[in-house]
């Protein structure tokens, strides 16, 4: 029998206000039990954090702006422009920014975090000395990241995506591999001055002793993964596709491209790139001891900001995304790669 709904009278045992209060209590209880996930973004201008619950509610947001909050590094939009198209960012600024960021996150929240991952500016490179992994494994919660890590890097100023000083190296790569279209067919793009492989080639050519002393080359994203893990982390194949070094189809380091770039490069890049969704391990003692992150918190492979933006915006095939920021990017999805010389 159909009976139309009638709201209970105000004399009902649970008034409207009481019911709303009960609903809020139930929500808070569920939130206490909900899983929490933490995302980081190490961009050109800032480092940010965002925590969400398993039901999608935003629990925390924070940003450290490099120029305004870490002015001692003298950057403009997080960059140092040195002339001759050389553009870098200070690794110490990234490290100090990460510590400042985590100091602003509630420890009770961090204790509930089940997994951490991050996006980072693409194409930039970080160069570890032979003591690099040792320094990562020895990360001490009583010290800062900068104190523990900066001395393990070959360069305090890291080449980033805005650096376009490698036109010579681009021409050399294209000549060695049979022309710009051959490089595009193999690696996904013709040789670009802003891409990591050509930054590496320039360092190997102009600073041979430094290159010889380098144990591992990281992207900014894999550098961040390494800091979270306390050991060297692999590059993921999404971010790795923007280096002019990865075989676009096999998702492995391209032997010919690596050989044309720098001696001993495959060993310095580490294992072949992994899937962006790879769980690399759990956070190291630095984050548990200093900030109270749960010891079982998983580290999911960090990746590049533009690929992560495609996932975050939920783009579908046939749709286009536009990112307007320090650089402007047009993004879309293609199931079958068709590298071109332009666009």
């Amino acid at each position: 029998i159909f009976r139309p709904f009638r709201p209970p009278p105000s004399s009902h045992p649970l008034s409207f206000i009481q019911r709303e209060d009960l609903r809020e209590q139930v929500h808070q209880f569920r939130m206490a039990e909900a899983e929490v996930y933490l995302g980081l973004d190490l961009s050109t201008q800032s480092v940010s954090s965002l925590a969400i619950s398993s039901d999608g509610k935003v629990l925390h947001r924070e940003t450290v702006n490099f120029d305004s909050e870490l002015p001692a590094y003298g950057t403009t939009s997080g960059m140092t422009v040195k002339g001759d198209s050389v553009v870098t960012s200070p690794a110490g600024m990234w490290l100090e920014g990460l510590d400042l960021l985590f100091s602003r996150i509630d420890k009770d929240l961090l204790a509930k975090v089940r997994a951490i991952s991050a996006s980072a500016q693409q194409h930039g490179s970080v160069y570890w000395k032979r003591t690099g992994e040792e320094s990562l494994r020895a990360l001490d919660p009583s010290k800062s990241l900068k104190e523990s890590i900066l001395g393990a890097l070959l360069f305090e100023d890291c080449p980033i995506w805005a650096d376009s000083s490698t036109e010579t190296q681009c021409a050399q790569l294209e000549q060695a591999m049979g022309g710009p279209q051959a490089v595009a067919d193999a690696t996904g793009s013709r040789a670009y001055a802003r891409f990591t492989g050509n930054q590496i080639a320039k360092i190997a050519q102009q600073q041979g002793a430094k290159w010889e002393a380098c144990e591992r080359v990281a992207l900014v994203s894999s550098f961040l993964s390494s800091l979270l893990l306390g050991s060297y982390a692999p590059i993921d194949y999404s971010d790795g596709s923007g280096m002019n070094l990865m075989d676009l189809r096999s998702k492995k380091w391209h032997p010919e491209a690596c050989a044309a770039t720098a001696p001993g490069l495959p060993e310095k890049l580490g294992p072949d790139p992994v899937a962006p969704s790879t769980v690399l391990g759990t956070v190291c003692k630095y984050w548990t001891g200093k900030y109270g992150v749960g010891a079982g918190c998983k580290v999911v492979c960090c990746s590049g900001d533009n690929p992560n933006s495609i996932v975050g915006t939920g783009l579908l095939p046939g749709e286009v995304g536009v990112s307007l920021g320090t650089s402007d990017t047009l993004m879309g999805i293609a199931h079958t790669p068709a590298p071109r010389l332009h666009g």
Side-chain angles (χ1 to χ4, degrees), residues 127 200 211:
Y127 300 81
I200 293 170
W211 177 247

Side-chain angles (χ1 to χ4, degrees), residues 1-342:
I1 299 172
F2 174 76
R3 294 186 178 89
F5 172 77
R6 292 184 178 86
S10 59
S11 59
H12 190 271
L14 284 179
S15 69
F16 174 79
I17 293 176
Q18 289 173 318
R19 290 198 303 276
E20 288 300 300
D21 184 57
L22 179 60
R23 186 177 290 114
E24 179 63 22
Q25 290 180 42
V26 170
H27 174 72
Q28 292 298 331
F29 173 77
R30 287 176 176 169
M31 285 303 302
E33 300 300 315
E35 296 177 341
V36 177
Y37 300 94
L38 183 65
L40 307 175
D41 178 49
L42 181 50
S43 70
T44 312
Q45 301 181 49
S46 61
V47 59
S48 303
S49 57
L50 176 72
I52 62 170
S53 64
S54 52
D55 62 0
K57 183 175 181 180
V58 174
L59 306 176
H60 155 90
R61 293 179 192 267
E62 186 59 69
T63 295
V64 173
N65 181 277
F66 294 137
D67 290 0
S68 61
E69 299 193 64
L70 297 172
Y73 294 96
T75 58
T76 301
S77 298
M79 301 180 285
T80 304
V81 180
K82 299 185 175 183
D84 296 324
S85 301
V86 174
V87 184
T88 62
S89 283
M93 179 182 73
W94 294 339
L95 296 167
E96 194 172 343
L98 280 166
D99 267 332
L100 181 57
L101 182 71
F102 269 80
S103 72
R104 295 176 177 176
I105 307 176
D106 184 84
K107 284 194 172 185
D108 289 338
L109 180 65
L110 287 173
K112 298 175 184 176
V113 173
R114 297 292 299 275
I116 299 178
S117 191
S119 64
Q121 56 175 287
Q122 293 189 263
H123 313 307
S125 46
V126 182
Y127 300 81
W128 292 97
K129 295 178 181 177
R130 299 193 185 281
T131 57
E133 190 150 41
E134 178 184 341
S135 297
L136 284 166
R137 294 190 185 281
L139 275 170
D140 185 348
S142 68
K143 299 178 180 178
S144 69
L145 280 176
K146 184 177 177 180
E147 287 177 291
S148 298
I149 295 298
L150 195 59
L153 303 181
L154 278 168
F155 304 103
E156 293 189 9
D157 293 322
C158 300
I160 63 168
W161 64 269
D163 182 283
S164 59
S165 64
T166 59
E167 293 290 351
T168 297
Q169 288 71 32
C170 290
Q172 292 169 347
L173 179 64
E174 292 181 346
Q175 182 177 8
M177 294 187 66
Q181 187 63 55
V183 176
D185 291 339
T187 71
S189 304
R190 68 175 301 168
Y192 275 116
R194 301 171 189 274
F195 276 23
T196 322
N198 307 302
Q199 296 174 356
I200 293 170
K202 180 183 173 185
I203 287 172
Q205 291 172 15
Q206 298 183 1
Q207 302 185 66
K210 290 269 192 180
W211 177 247
E212 181 63 29
C214 176
E215 180 175 62
R216 180 65 68 92
V217 180
L219 293 178
V220 181
S221 60
S222 64
F223 175 63
L224 187 47
S225 292
S226 297
L227 295 175
L228 294 169
L229 275 178
S231 61
Y232 286 151
I235 292 170
D236 84 285
Y237 56 62
S238 181
D239 210 4
S241 66
M243 300 175 72
N244 278 143
L245 294 175
M246 190 188 80
D247 186 314
L248 184 64
R249 290 160 181 81
S250 72
K251 301 182 180 68
K252 300 181 184 297
W253 299 126
H254 195 288
E256 189 179 353
C258 287
T261 297
L265 181 54
E267 293 77 15
K268 295 179 190 291
L269 289 172
D272 285 321
V274 301
S277 58
T278 301
V279 177
L280 301 176
T282 55
V283 291
C284 69
K285 63 181 181 181
Y286 181 82
W287 306 100
T288 59
K290 195 177 189 75
Y291 298 111
V293 179
C297 176
K298 293 179 173 60
V299 177
V300 181
C301 196
C302 304
S303 187
D305 51 6
N306 286 313
N308 282 347
S309 294
I310 291 178
V311 176
T313 54
L315 282 182
L316 299 174
E319 297 179 340
V320 173
V322 179
S323 171
L324 303 176
T326 314
S327 64
D328 299 336
T329 307
L330 184 70
M331 301 174 287
I333 299 172
H335 290 298
T336 303
R340 299 174 177 85
L341 296 186
H342 304 284

